[in-house]
Amino acid sequence: VWLGAGAETDSARTRHALARLTVADVMQRDFHVLMGDDTLRHAVRLALAGGQRDFPVVVGERVAGTLRWNDLVQGLRAAGPDGTVAPHLPTRSLTTTPAEGVNHLLDRTGLELADGIPVLDHGRLAGLFTLSSLSAALVLRDAAATPPRVSQRATPLRRKRIELQPATPAHQSATPAE
């Protein structure tokens, strides 16, 4: 019961944090796109070079779907690195729009399918919705909303004024002679 109540509280907090966010607020705008006739080897190079794991795939003039990490791995096993991308796309293709609310998108797709969704603006590929970009946006939004900490400024050191005495030549005594 205790764990269930904690999970419900976390869920409510998350839904509240996402309530005003749209896909446009959190989507990635800098990402790689694959063509349907690209090789799996090319997808591997892009994945290793930049850490992107899910790739929108364009066939002709339309977004045909997303090549996900698991699809890439299975495609490599089945067709080898010279196989093309298009045959390894999932049969169900999900897309979203910049105006869709994040909560609505997550309700519609479920969390397990919400990663790597192409964002279409009037039919044109405009972004990529990923759970990592959502997480980063939430962390940054929370950090920006947190009031700055009041720093405890150290008390400036009081400098003691030291008056220098003229140097005494080595052959003279510093104390008056008797």
Side-chain angles (χ1 to χ4, degrees):
V1 172
W2 180 261
L3 293 175
E8 184 65 30
T9 300
D10 288 344
S11 176
R13 280 188 198 141
T14 301
R15 289 194 68 74
H16 179 70
L18 300 177
R20 292 190 180 122
L21 289 178
T22 64
V23 169
D25 294 328
V26 300
M27 69 183 187
Q28 289 182 0
R29 289 175 170 79
D30 187 18
F31 55 91
H32 295 286
V33 176
L34 295 171
M35 304 307 288
D37 59 355
D38 281 339
T39 63
L40 295 171
R41 178 187 324 274
H42 180 64
V44 168
R45 280 192 200 122
L46 292 176
L48 294 176
Q52 185 176 333
R53 295 176 59 103
D54 300 318
F55 298 90
V57 178
V58 174
V59 175
E61 294 291 317
R62 71 176 187 84
V63 176
T66 301
L67 181 72
R68 299 183 189 286
W69 180 260
N70 290 340
D71 302 325
L72 175 57
V73 171
Q74 289 173 0
L76 288 167
R77 288 183 181 142
D82 293 322
T84 57
V85 168
H88 304 288
L89 292 175
T91 55
R92 184 176 173 207
S93 177
L94 298 172
T95 61
T96 185
T97 65
E100 185 171 11
V102 172
N103 273 337
H104 185 263
L105 175 63
L106 294 176
D107 288 344
R108 182 170 64 87
T109 62
L111 194 58
E112 67 280 353
L113 295 176
D115 210 15
I117 298 177
V119 181
L120 303 180
D121 189 7
H122 299 94
R124 192 182 122 262
L125 184 60
L128 185 64
F129 178 87
T130 66
L131 294 176
S132 62
S133 63
L134 172 61
S135 176
L138 290 174
V139 168
L140 294 173
R141 188 176 117 176
D142 184 50
T146 304
R149 287 188 234 159
V150 177
S151 64
Q152 297 293 332
R153 295 176 74 190
T155 306
L157 295 175
R158 302 228 180 247
R159 296 187 185 214
K160 191 175 186 182
R161 186 172 183 153
I162 300 172
E163 292 188 31
L164 299 176
Q165 300 295 325
T168 306
H171 65 279
Q172 291 183 344
S173 170
T175 57
E178 296 180 20

